[in-house]
């Protein structure tokens, strides 16, 4: 197993998430997509950010969608359920693929989502297979971004779209580690937003949308911290979340370094949509 997959490796992850739901009074037989949404989105701003990217992709009916670096399948389940897509969810880390399958089974989405272990830089699909390719918070683990984007371009049908929501390098220098996506600097490959857009255009994509969404993330983190403090002061029950389970060892250091890097401008967030021209 390479160091990126080792970083994300969490055996029996679905069981741990189901146990967390049970602690909140949610029995495995009554788990819904709404319950999972609080746990299964492994990216900054979670479920609302997934919906924003999905909306921006303007999916056709029953779109064939490829999700690169699909994690435990949070975004794939949103695309399959709320957008009626047929999703292929591809991820490098076997334990996350296994958890993805188990959660799909729990909410009855196995027929709409196919989960595959694989590498986003070497896709096992024919040319022009998909209507949309998406990737959320995975490319920061991938050094060969040109190869990844070229593969996304290759497997898209003409007129198809490639959407990403990713962490990018900020203007204020390098972040401290560990971070949620990398225990150490050797597994983190952040580039500037302009480099990402240059690479996408070099491989042939046409830019349709390119947004700096760093401030939304900063504001959301402040809002969450204020809500957590108010909830604690009022003696409210602990909200349902699974950051500690998903991030594993040193989860609180990873979260603290992420918040600080965002605040200090050492990282940013970009949401973008590119199109493969029809001719
Ligand atoms: C932070 S998680 C994001 C998961 C998911 N996209 C989400 O937002 O919930 C990053 C994921 O990218 C996967 N990944 C990293 N490098 C990859 C590669 N070269 N090919 C496929 N998946 C990769 C990791 O295994 C991990 O599941």
């Amino acid at each position: 197993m390479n160091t990126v997959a080792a970083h994300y490796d969490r055996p029996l992850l679905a069981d741990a998430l189901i146990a967390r739901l049970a602690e909140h009074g949610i029995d495995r037989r009554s788990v819904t997509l709404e319950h999972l949404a609080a746990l299964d989105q492994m990216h900054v701003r979670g479920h609302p950010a997934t919906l924003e990217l999905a909306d921006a992709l303007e999916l056709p009916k029953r779109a064939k969608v490829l999700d690169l670096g699909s994690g435990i399948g949070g975004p794939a389940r949103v695309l399959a359920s709320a957008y009626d897509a047929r999703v292929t969810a591809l991820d490098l880390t076997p334990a996350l693929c296994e958890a993805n399958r188990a959660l799909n089974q729990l909410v009855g989405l196995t027929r709409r989502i196919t989960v595959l272990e694989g590498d986003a830089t070497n896709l096992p699909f024919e040319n022009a297979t998909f209507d949309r390719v998406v990737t959320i918070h995975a490319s920061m683990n991938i050094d060969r971004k040109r190869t990844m984007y070229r593969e996304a371009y290759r497997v898209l049908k003409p007129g198809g779209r490639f959407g990403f929501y990713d962490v990018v390098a900020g203007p204020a220098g390098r972040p401290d580690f560990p971070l949620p996506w990398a225990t150490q600097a050797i597994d983190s490959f952040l580039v500037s937003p302009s480099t990402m857009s240059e690479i996408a255009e070099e491989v042939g994509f046409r830019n349709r949308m390119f947004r700096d969404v760093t401030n939304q993330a900063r504001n959301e983190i402040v809002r969450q911290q204020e809500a957590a403090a108010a909830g604690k002061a009022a003696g409210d029950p602990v909200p349902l979340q699974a950051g500690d389970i998903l991030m594993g060892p040193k989860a609180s250091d990873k979260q603290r370094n992420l918040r600080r890097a965002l605040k200090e401008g050492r990282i940013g967030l970009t949401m973008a949509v590119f199109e493969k021209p029809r001719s």
Side-chain angles (χ1 to χ4, degrees):
M1 192 185 294
N2 74 20
T3 52
V4 170
H7 170 82
Y8 288 107
D9 186 37
R10 309 265 177 275
L12 303 177
L13 185 52
D15 290 348
L17 295 173
I18 290 166
R20 174 62 52 85
L21 288 164
E23 287 164 19
H24 287 257
I26 303 155
D27 181 80
R28 62 177 302 145
R29 282 162 304 193
S30 55
V31 172
T32 64
L33 286 163
E34 288 70 32
H35 296 136
L36 289 184
L39 309 179
D40 66 1
Q41 309 283 322
M42 297 172 66
H43 53 264
V44 178
R45 282 180 59 238
H47 189 248
T50 304
L51 293 176
E52 279 167 29
L53 181 62
D55 283 346
L57 280 163
E58 298 175 343
L59 273 76
K61 253 181 159 288
R62 294 191 159 218
K64 285 187 77 179
V65 179
L66 172 64
D67 182 6
L68 297 174
S70 47
I72 59 171
R77 281 184 290 277
V78 170
L79 291 163
S81 59
Y83 296 82
D84 194 31
R86 302 299 177 265
V87 186
T88 301
L90 180 132
D91 199 280
L92 193 65
T93 307
L96 300 192
C97 291
E98 192 184 311
N100 188 352
R101 291 186 192 102
L103 298 175
N104 293 340
Q105 184 105 44
L106 213 56
V107 292
L109 281 174
T110 50
R111 288 159 70 143
R112 291 198 192 176
I113 303 174
T114 305
V115 183
L116 282 182
E117 284 168 32
D119 187 329
T121 62
N122 184 16
L123 299 177
F125 310 109
E126 300 287 329
N127 294 351
T129 301
F130 296 98
D131 300 297
R132 300 287 183 267
V133 176
V134 301
T135 184
I136 300 184
H137 282 42
S139 85
M140 61 262 201
N141 285 126
I142 298 176
D143 189 16
R144 297 165 63 220
K145 290 192 209 324
R146 186 170 281 98
T147 311
M148 176 189 185
Y149 285 17
R150 203 180 286 131
E151 281 289 80
Y153 187 90
R154 180 182 69 75
V155 301
L156 269 173
K157 297 174 187 170
R161 294 182 195 170
F162 173 47
F164 63 77
Y165 170 45
D166 277 331
V167 182
V168 294
R174 289 161 67 95
D176 291 328
F177 290 83
L179 284 161
W181 64 91
T183 308
Q184 39 186 351
I186 54 161
D187 288 328
S188 179
F189 304 98
L190 301 181
V191 298
S192 68
S194 57
T195 301
M196 291 176 108
S197 124
E198 273 162 34
I199 298 173
E201 287 176 19
E202 264 169 42
V203 308
F205 283 118
R206 206 172 280 157
N207 191 336
R208 287 186 61 96
M209 180 193 102
F210 203 83
R211 274 188 210 149
D212 179 352
V213 289
T214 313
N215 278 336
Q216 280 97 314
R218 287 193 186 119
N219 296 342
E220 175 60 18
I221 283 172
V222 170
R223 194 200 61 73
Q224 278 172 5
Q225 285 179 321
E226 287 172 357
K232 206 168 170 183
D236 291 347
V238 180
L240 177 60
Q241 62 82 36
D244 55 331
I245 297 173
L246 296 172
M247 289 183 215
K250 303 202 172 160
S252 52
D253 292 351
K254 292 171 185 170
Q255 281 167 317
R256 195 189 51 241
N257 286 339
L258 173 76
R259 285 195 296 269
R260 211 174 63 210
L262 255 175
K263 192 171 161 208
E264 294 176 357
R266 295 174 187 276
I267 59 171
L269 288 154
T270 296
M271 191 176 281
V273 175
F274 288 86
E275 185 167 284
K276 177 172 179 170
R278 287 185 192 277
S279 56

